[in-house]
Amino acid sequence: MSSTDTPNEAVITSYAKAPARTVSADGVTYAYRELGPKGGIPVVFFVHLAATLDNWDPRIIDPIAKGRHVIAFDNRGVGASTGQVPDSVEAMAEDAYTFIKALGYDKIDVFSFSLGGMVAQALVVKHPELVRKLVLTGTGPKGGKDMDKVARVTYWDILRATLTRSDPKEFLFFNRNATGKPAARAFVNRLKERTVDRDADIKTKAFQTQLKAIKKWGRSAPDDLSSITQPTLIANGDNDRMVPSVLSEDLHRRIKGSELIIYPDSGHGGIFQYHQEFAPVAVEFLAR
């Protein structure tokens, strides 16, 4: 065994301190961070629309990294990764596949959120042999009802956030009520815990291309998700305005044997609002 035998003190389990790394494949240099004890099947995190490496909630990643090797990455054209963002979710999935193979892995567990969940679905449909377990949060299936309206909601909430000098995620991810507002502020503050070696922001063109890809995904013919036989955990809030909560239920119906958690009084970022409840569930699911 290699670094799995290293004393616990030497293993980084804090996402705020995870080293920034790069790997090159097919002319693209992918930026990624890794943490947790190495060895075994890694858990690869697929991030959301407009997000970079700095957008993962440490209260979700850190508990998983206590016992598992965790890898978070910027897909092509995002953050510190080179190249241009593809205009389809399927092409994003192929880039993710290229990145994972470049690191030398033949089997992974996937933790995904929002757009990342769409990319994860496309990956597992095309390369089922690669994925052992699947966590899909705040996401929906290809061709799902109202999936193509994500762009409209996103632009509206960005405007609302700009007018109030807030982070757009406070509007997009959380309810604007007495429960949601403090949860939103706490989440945004947690994203600032890493103070050095932060990622580059996503460029406007890259963000717009991602939105086009989501719209195309929403308007395409559905994939046959009955082909997904991997153990799957699905989670969301009960009032997701970005990717409607009913789409999580749709995924649950279509992926046989999947588990579904819907958190009350929460939105797109339900797993972040309920991180104390959700993180142990995710840890247990991935450890089975």
Side-chain angles (χ1 to χ4, degrees), residues 23-46:
V23 65
S24 295
D26 291 355
V28 176
T29 299
Y30 294 91
Y32 70 102
R33 294 176 190 161
E34 59 181 343
L35 63 160
K38 290 193 179 178
I41 295 171
V43 183
V44 181
F45 277 65
F46 287 57

Side-chain angles (χ1 to χ4, degrees), residues 15 33 47-56 73-74 78-80 199-202:
Y15 190 58
R33 294 176 190 161
V47 80
H48 63 83
L49 168 72
T52 68
L53 288 168
D54 289 326
N55 288 101
W56 279 117
F73 74 106
D74 282 332
V78 175
D199 203 358
D201 289 337
I202 192 166

